[in-house]
Amino acid sequence: MKTSIFHSIAFLLIVFMYACSTTEIDEPTAVFTPDSLEVKAGSEITFSFSGDCDYVTFWSGEEGAVFENRHRIEIPVDSAYFQFNNFTAYGNVDQPRPVSVYISDTFTGSYTQAGIYDPATKWEEVTPANTPNYTTSISVAYPSGKINLTKYKSNTFFIAFKFRSDSLPGTTRQVRIKDFEVYAYTSIGLLKSTTIANAGFRAVNISGANTWTNTTTQMDIRGTAQRNDEDWFITKELSLNRVQSDRGIAIKTISDNMSNFRYSYTKPGTYKAKLEIRNSRYGEIKTTYQDFTFIVK
């Protein structure tokens, strides 16, 4: 009798486990209906919601939110450049220009004197002619112009600023770099890929007491009085063809109750939007889509 009861319990457990393992989720039934397909820039589109689903992601079709680009990490580059504004003050008119600029695709990322001067590391000097030697005020900007990066469009590379000040008498040199920006002409237009805020600059002191410092908007260094100074400021490894994958906006999760949602486009144009509608349970996912073309005037 005990054996029979045991077998019955075991059988029921097997049936239950099998049932759990084969549980299927329903197709999402959610339907979104926009109140208009033609709107003015800045005006809200209201999407009415009916049916049921667990998750919804909205892809507006704007730059950075295109569904087809959700897995894209690289794009072709036609040409590229970088630019900055240079400010220099004080020093002595007999001193050499305090800033020079370099690019390398052989630098190993060893931010040390040995790494910078490794014989295997080749630095291409691209110092703009407009870099000042001596001025009396830090407020005067000297634009670099566009420094060509096209030869590096398929390679990773580093950009470096080198500061130099010698021991001649005079007020110590001060240098400021602002508006550092890297641009690439790509298949989707002109993209700004790098600024001071995300360039990952790191300081390397070769000689002298002071080093480069930076905020998200500018880089600064001032030499040591009547001492030789050499200091480098080098970006992280940069790439012109890498892009962040496009992302949609999560507008519903499994715990949310939804009746509608609103969205507005800020710029005129034609946008191909997509709603990604999912049910996701028991390790299974079922997805449906809705597509809309919005004309924004």
Side-chain angles (χ1 to χ4, degrees):
M1 189 61 150
K2 289 182 179 180
T3 301
S4 177
I5 292 173
F6 174 79
H7 286 162
S8 298
I9 294 172
F11 174 77
L12 290 172
L13 285 172
I14 292 171
V15 170
F16 176 75
M17 292 174 64
Y18 176 77
C20 289
S21 66
T22 58
T23 298
E24 292 190 2
I25 62 173
D26 297 327
E27 293 278 352
T29 60
V31 176
F32 290 85
T33 306
D35 60 359
S36 178
L37 294 176
E38 293 190 14
V39 296
K40 292 183 178 180
S43 298
E44 284 190 336
I45 302 166
T46 300
F47 293 78
S48 298
F49 171 81
S50 62
D52 185 49
C53 65
D54 293 338
Y55 302 92
V56 181
T57 302
F58 178 63
W59 302 79
S60 68
E62 296 166 287
E63 183 178 327
V66 176
F67 178 80
E68 289 74 17
N69 295 337
R70 66 197 184 281
H71 300 309
R72 183 185 63 183
I73 58 174
E74 293 184 351
I75 54 174
V77 172
D78 295 323
S79 59
Y81 66 91
F82 76 99
Q83 62 187 20
F84 60 92
N85 280 319
N86 186 184
F87 302 77
T88 299
Y90 316 123
N92 187 300
V93 292
D94 296 322
Q95 291 179 337
R97 290 192 304 179
V99 173
S100 48
V101 188
Y102 300 87
I103 306 172
S104 178
D105 59 1
T106 56
F107 179 58
T108 63
S110 175
Y111 293 84
T112 62
Q113 181 173 350
I116 291 171
Y117 286 105
D118 186 326
T121 299
K122 308 302 179 186
W123 293 100
E124 177 191 3
E125 184 171 359
V126 292
T127 307
N130 199 35
T131 301
N133 173 29
Y134 170 80
T135 59
T136 57
S137 172
I138 197 70
S139 63
V140 180
Y142 286 75
S144 67
K146 296 179 179 180
I147 301 173
N148 198 330
L149 283 171
T150 303
K151 67 185 289 186
Y152 299 98
K153 68 181 184 179
S154 300
N155 300 356
T156 57
F157 60 95
F158 299 81
I159 297 174
F161 289 84
K162 176 185 174 183
F163 172 80
R164 180 186 171 192
S165 181
D166 61 29
S167 58
L168 290 174
T171 307
T172 55
R173 282 291 179 93
Q174 182 179 0
V175 165
R176 176 169 295 156
I177 304 295
K178 298 183 71 174
D179 308 308
F180 170 82
E181 297 166 331
V182 178
Y183 288 91
Y185 288 96
T186 73
S187 56
I188 61 173
L190 180 64
L191 298 181
K192 180 165 64 175
S193 63
T194 308
T195 65
I196 292 175
N198 64 10
F201 278 102
R202 293 177 61 179
V204 182
N205 176 260
I206 305 298
S207 62
N210 298 326
T211 61
W212 286 91
T213 61
N214 70 287
T215 66
T216 57
T217 59
Q218 68 186 46
M219 308 183 295
D220 288 276
I221 188 167
R222 189 158 190 175
T224 309
Q226 298 183 22
R227 287 186 59 183
N228 290 327
D229 271 277
E230 182 183 339
D231 293 273
W232 291 64
F233 215 29
I234 308 173
T235 66
K236 65 183 179 182
E237 187 176 50
L238 303 178
S239 176
L240 294 168
N241 62 359
R242 291 178 190 163
V243 293
Q244 185 175 5
S245 300
D246 284 21
R247 296 180 179 181
I249 302 170
I251 61 173
K252 183 186 185 304
T253 67
I254 196 170
S255 61
D256 295 328
N257 293 319
M258 173 175 280
S259 58
N260 57 55
F261 83 97
R262 296 179 175 86
Y263 190 81
S264 61
Y265 291 89
T266 60
K267 297 180 180 179
T270 299
Y271 299 93
K272 294 183 178 180
K274 185 182 287 285
L275 282 161
E276 183 182 12
I277 304 164
R278 287 176 291 132
N279 281 347
S280 178
R281 304 177 196 177
Y282 318 118
E284 186 180 359
I285 298 174
K286 289 190 176 180
T287 308
T288 60
Y289 300 95
Q290 281 187 262
D291 296 281
F292 306 98
T293 298
F294 293 105
I295 298 174
V296 182
K297 298 179 179 180

